[in-house]
Structure formats: structure tokens, C-alpha cells
Amino acid sequence: MDSALASDTAHEGAVYLRQSVRTAAKLLVVGHFAVGKTTFVGSLSEIRPLRTEETMTQAGALVDDLAGIRGKTTTTVAMDFGRLTLSDSLVLYLFGAPGQQRFTRLWQDMTRGALGALVLADTRRLEQSFDVMGLLEEHGLPYAVAVNHFDGAPTHPEEEIREALDLLPETPLITCDARDRISSTRALITLVEYLQTRQMRLSSTAQESV
């Protein structure tokens, strides 16, 4: 893919979790094959991210669609994991889930305890996002969509992307560059704000029904 992996030397945060941390939140970073999940988690993690990547083989090329993808030589075979401390008492754990259909059995375990998910999408292969969004909806996990920037990829108005992905009006849609920490942070903030707003709305509805 066109996005370069973040350098491990860029992560200078403390290796050990602060003793003051009392709350941990879990978010998933998902998307189809080669959409930039590993890059996204790597750009945000304050620790050296855990990556379960293996070199792609000729056999794998038969099941992983490499059309339109240049320089893709590895693929995630289990998950990516990163950590981001938000305050003295709150830490965020990021889990990147593999996008290929053969790994969908992993999703049941990965979705447990997750507050929500950020779906990375590629304008060159938007149709491949449907299976991922379908899995999230099947597990009842709320999500936001971030269109990852790839060099040379076509750009479209937000309304057209929403229509192409058949997104609900309330589902957040943002563009980002998974290689850039600031851009990735904005996408993550969009998801967190959506989850907070959604939770407050659900709590309000529940109180009204009592």
C-alpha cells in the first residue's frame, strides 16, 4: 500500500502504565484488507505497537485481492495493538482487526468489551467496506468511518461517499491520513465524541421510559 508504517523510534512514551490509571477503554480499528489499520494504530500508539504481520506468500495472493495496491508485502494475521494514555486516570487501548473474511472468527473475541470502532475506508475500494460494517452491526458495535488518504486515490464529496457506503445520517464520516499522528488523532476524537453523544442520548431515552 502507499502508506508507510510509522517508525518504531517515534514512540517515546512510557513503556509501563501509570499507577494512577483507573479506567481503560477499548476501541477497534477495522477495515478491509490493506486499508491502513496497522499504520493507523502505529501512528497513535505511545508504546511500540504490537504487530502480528507476516510476509505475504504466493498462496495468499489467491485469496487477498491486491488489485490497485502497490508495494503490499505483509499482512496482519491476528491483530495490531496500541496504547494511548488520555489522562492520569484513563488509558485507551486500540485493537486493529484483520480485514480478510477468513479472520472473521477473531471478531467475536475482539468485540467483547469494545466501546466502538473506527472503520477505515479507501475510495478506490469502497464496496469492500460493506462486509466490515456488516460485522460491526451484527455485533451491535457503533462505529465511525474514516476515509484514509492514499496517494493518487480519487476524491469524492462527502455526500457521494455517504451514499456509496449507505451510511446513516448520524454515522460520522471523516477523512484522515493514517501516516500522520495529528490526522489520526482527529479521526479518533470524532469516534469518541460520537460514542459519548450516543451514550448520553441512550441514557436520556432510558430515563424517560422509566
Side-chain angles (χ1 to χ4, degrees), residues 109-159:
D109 289 332
M110 294 191 70
T111 56
R112 289 174 180 168
L115 299 181
L118 184 69
V119 179
L120 295 184
D122 181 351
T123 56
R124 299 168 299 183
R125 298 175 292 151
L126 286 177
E127 72 285 352
Q128 294 185 24
S129 297
F130 284 111
D131 288 339
V132 174
M133 293 189 296
L135 283 171
L136 293 174
E137 292 168 2
E138 179 182 330
H139 288 87
L141 205 61
Y143 61 87
V145 176
V147 177
N148 191 16
H149 171 75
F150 287 85
D151 298 332
T155 58
H156 304 284
E158 178 178 327
E159 294 76 13

Side-chain angles (χ1 to χ4, degrees), residues 52-82:
T52 56
E53 290 200 310
E54 294 291 342
T55 301
M56 295 185 65
T57 63
Q58 192 64 36
L62 299 177
V63 293
D64 295 329
D65 185 7
L66 292 173
I69 304 172
R70 300 194 308 272
K72 179 67 172 174
T73 59
T74 61
T75 184
T76 299
V77 295
M79 68 174 183
D80 298 307
F81 173 76

Side-chain angles (χ1 to χ4, degrees), residues 1-192:
M1 59 180 287
D2 297 328
S3 294
L5 291 178
S7 170
D8 288 336
T9 59
H11 305 281
E12 300 177 354
V15 175
Y16 299 103
L17 194 62
R18 298 177 188 176
Q19 293 184 352
S20 59
V21 170
R22 295 292 180 268
T23 304
K26 176 182 178 181
L27 294 177
L28 302 187
V29 179
V30 300
H32 57 70
F33 173 64
V35 77
K37 300 179 294 294
T38 297
T39 304
F40 186 92
V41 173
S43 71
L44 284 174
S45 180
E46 65 192 13
I47 60 173
R48 180 177 296 180
L50 169 66
R51 294 169 175 166
T52 56
E53 290 200 310
E54 294 291 342
T55 301
M56 295 185 65
T57 63
Q58 192 64 36
L62 299 177
V63 293
D64 295 329
D65 185 7
L66 292 173
I69 304 172
R70 300 194 308 272
K72 179 67 172 174
T73 59
T74 61
T75 184
T76 299
V77 295
M79 68 174 183
D80 298 307
F81 173 76
R83 190 188 79 198
L84 185 61
T85 300
L86 301 182
S87 69
D88 289 338
S89 60
L90 176 62
V91 66
L92 184 65
Y93 293 124
L94 300 175
F95 288 79
Q100 297 97 311
Q101 283 293 307
R102 64 182 182 276
F103 294 119
T104 54
R105 289 186 178 180
L106 293 174
W107 280 61
Q108 184 171 357
D109 289 332
M110 294 191 70
T111 56
R112 289 174 180 168
L115 299 181
L118 184 69
V119 179
L120 295 184
D122 181 351
T123 56
R124 299 168 299 183
R125 298 175 292 151
L126 286 177
E127 72 285 352
Q128 294 185 24
S129 297
F130 284 111
D131 288 339
V132 174
M133 293 189 296
L135 283 171
L136 293 174
E137 292 168 2
E138 179 182 330
H139 288 87
L141 205 61
Y143 61 87
V145 176
V147 177
N148 191 16
H149 171 75
F150 287 85
D151 298 332
T155 58
H156 304 284
E158 178 178 327
E159 294 76 13
E160 292 184 8
I161 296 177
R162 280 189 167 278
E163 183 177 359
L165 293 176
D166 194 25
L167 297 181
L168 295 174
E170 62 268 22
T171 302
L173 176 64
I174 189 174
T175 59
C176 76
D177 186 335
R179 299 166 293 188
D180 181 75
R181 183 179 179 85
I182 295 177
S183 181
S184 297
T185 300
R186 289 172 180 162
L188 195 63
I189 290 173
T190 297
L191 170 62
V192 172

